[in-house]
Amino acid sequence: MRRRVPRSVVVLATGVYLFLHAPVVALIVFSFNDSKFAATWTGFTLEWYRRLLVRDDVIAGLGRSLAVGLVATVVASALGTLLALAVHRHRFRGKRQVEGLLYLPLVTPEIIMGISLLTMLVAIGFPLGVWSVTVAHITFCISFVTVVVGARLRGMDRHLEEAAMMLGADEWEAFWKVTVPMLAPGIFAGALLAFTMSFDDYVITSFVSGSGSATLPVVVYGMVRRSIEPSINAISTIIVVGTSALIWLADRTMRGRPG
């Protein structure tokens, strides 16, 4: 029998959610405002969304964000999955320290990550541009994938892999035909989360990007610095809706039970 939630808890939770999401709701609503001034509602329009299609800087920034996000996601998913397998399946000296270091990029302030990555790239002579942004995104996305895949690994039944090898499969066949399919929901969820984090990142990208390599968040920030216009609300709404959908999909994927 389910216990009834006290009314005070419901009211408090509702108030907190309203406080957190009211600015986002206002942003979405005023992205359809016919007025150039965000504080005054004058009517419904899709004009600001249409204007985004003719802005070369927005289209170019979107293309770079998608390209960087896809490359970073593929590489981080592969490396993060292998790292999760190594940490959770093997014992070695310094394992606890390695596990602790996995969470370092997750808790380190982005400005510190940006400065440290910029220092490293400059020290090794790596040119700043789209590829430096991609390398930086791979660096912090690996931890997200490793943590998500690791959570999936903890719920897996290793007896299925052992049974496959007892039936004649070697370790490589067992890995591809048993382990990878069982890990697929975790890998997919980690990849979605990695792409979301890469696509949304501004702080780290602003440090390691060079001339002509601005991603969409950097372009949006530049638009805000020049002037506040409703098209900024429109593009922000698209980003919010898109990333929210990816996070929801990743969450639904991770709810599936390991095979």
Side-chain angles (χ1 to χ4, degrees), residues 11 17 21-22 33-34 54 69 73 78 85 89 96 103 111 176-177 180 211-212 215 220 225 230 238-239 254:
V11 172
Y17 271 93
H21 295 97
N33 186 15
D34 192 35
V54 298
T73 298
L85 285 167
R89 292 287 179 85
R96 286 181 175 270
Y103 292 91
I111 190 170
W176 278 111
K177 295 182 179 180
V180 172
S211 177
T215 58
V220 172
R225 292 188 63 183
I238 294 173
I239 294 174
M254 278 301 295

Side-chain angles (χ1 to χ4, degrees), residues 12 17 49 57 97-98 106 125 138 146 164 171 197 215 233 236:
L12 178 62
Y17 271 93
Y49 289 87
D57 56 344
Q97 289 74 16
V98 171
L106 307 182
I138 292 172
T146 304
E171 292 186 2
M197 299 303 298
T215 58
N233 295 340
S236 299

Side-chain angles (χ1 to χ4, degrees), residues 118-161:
L118 175 61
T119 303
M120 182 196 72
L121 293 172
V122 172
I124 64 176
F126 198 97
L128 299 183
V130 175
W131 284 110
S132 64
V133 174
T134 304
V135 170
H137 286 205
I138 292 172
T139 301
F140 67 78
C141 284
I142 288 176
S143 292
F144 288 98
V145 176
T146 304
V147 170
V148 174
V149 175
R152 186 76 179 182
L153 274 169
R154 283 190 287 270
M156 276 181 50
D157 186 1
R158 292 202 62 181
H159 291 92
L160 294 175
E161 300 169 77

